[in-house]
Amino acid sequence: MTSISNRLQAILSSIESAKQLAHADQTVQLLAVSKAQAAAAIREAYAAGQRQFGENYLQEALDKQTQLSDLAILWHFIGPIQSNKTQLIAQHFDWVHSVDRLKIAQRLNDARANNSSPLQVCVQINISNEASKNGVLVADLQATVATIAKLPHLQLRGLMAIPAPSLDLSVQRQQFKQVRQCYDNLLALGYQLDTLSIGMSDDYAVAIEQGATIVRIGSALFGARPQ
Ligand SMILES: *Cc1c(COP(=O)(O)O)cnc(C)c1O
């Protein structure tokens, strides 16, 4: 039987192989995406050494945080954000990857004001330029980042993207390349960034090749999500 622990070890070693194959020298962290998984599954991954978990739905995450409050987990919010959820997200998470508009950044900043440490954030970019998708359009990225970088209770760490899914890895590679290009442009402008949050269960090796520093992996670790 394949346990979460076995799969965790397998993923960590394939992250290393992907780095070697691509001669990539960045640090790559595994974010375990635990949406729709029971608290017991998170506990199992934690016992195997995993410390960073990503959740998409606020209420579900808060319930699991209560059940797991004895563990030293670093919680990342990675789902779409409605503005009436920013208060709780800012108070109950260490990281937010899905900051996709200024209003959300401003509200997260204000809600974090009483916390001793800034909220670690990534700006989500809409690389496929689909109107229906979340994320800042590439054309608006510089202006958005300029404003977010000034917010005192947020620490801007980098960029996150969820490219349109494709079974063709060369299409994924091209999309990740574009994200990397945006990231490099911001570095060239002098922003102190260290995080490129790209890559999921089916394409993380390609994301690592293109410079991912955080890969967000759910089903490859926990198995198919329960309905
Ligand atoms: C669900 C989800 C993932 C993980 O997807 P898998 O294909 O199960 O690895 C990663 N990032 C985001 C934003 C997600 O919503």
Side-chain angles (χ1 to χ4, degrees), residues 33 35 56 78 160 162 200-202 216-220 225:
V33 176
K35 65 172 177 232
N56 294 56
I78 62 174
M160 184 273 242
I162 313 171
M200 316 203 301
S201 290
D202 293 332
R216 308 179 311 268
I217 298 183
S219 44
R225 278 180 279 280

Side-chain angles (χ1 to χ4, degrees), residues 56-122:
N56 294 56
Y57 308 106
L58 179 61
Q59 193 53 54
E60 178 194 330
L62 295 178
D63 291 346
K64 286 187 261 183
Q65 287 178 352
T66 304
Q67 297 174 60
L68 299 167
S69 60
D70 56 314
L71 306 183
I73 290 177
L74 223 55
W75 292 101
H76 296 237
F77 193 85
I78 62 174
I81 304 177
Q82 296 161 270
S83 53
N84 63 350
K85 303 284 168 65
T86 48
Q87 183 81 25
L88 285 168
I89 290 172
Q91 285 166 357
H92 291 273
F93 287 82
D94 304 289
W95 279 71
V96 176
H97 293 226
S98 42
V99 175
D100 65 350
R101 53 199 192 278
L102 279 180
K103 180 187 177 191
I104 293 298
Q106 187 69 58
R107 289 178 66 99
L108 289 170
N109 177 74
D110 297 349
R112 190 75 178 188
N114 295 327
N115 199 293
S116 57
S117 65
L119 186 63
Q120 309 300 304
V121 302
C122 291

Side-chain angles (χ1 to χ4, degrees), residues 154-199:
L154 301 185
Q155 183 170 358
L156 179 63
R157 298 292 295 268
L159 299 178
M160 184 273 242
I162 313 171
S166 166
L167 293 174
D168 182 347
L169 287 182
S170 69
V171 172
Q172 294 310 85
R173 178 175 290 110
Q174 203 47 47
Q175 300 193 84
F176 290 141
K177 233 188 240 304
Q178 279 178 267
V179 186
R180 171 62 185 271
Q181 189 61 57
C182 292
Y183 181 74
D184 285 344
N185 290 345
L186 294 173
L187 288 176
L189 288 169
Y191 293 102
Q192 310 263 308
L193 308 176
D194 62 6
T195 302
L196 200 49
S197 170
I198 48 174

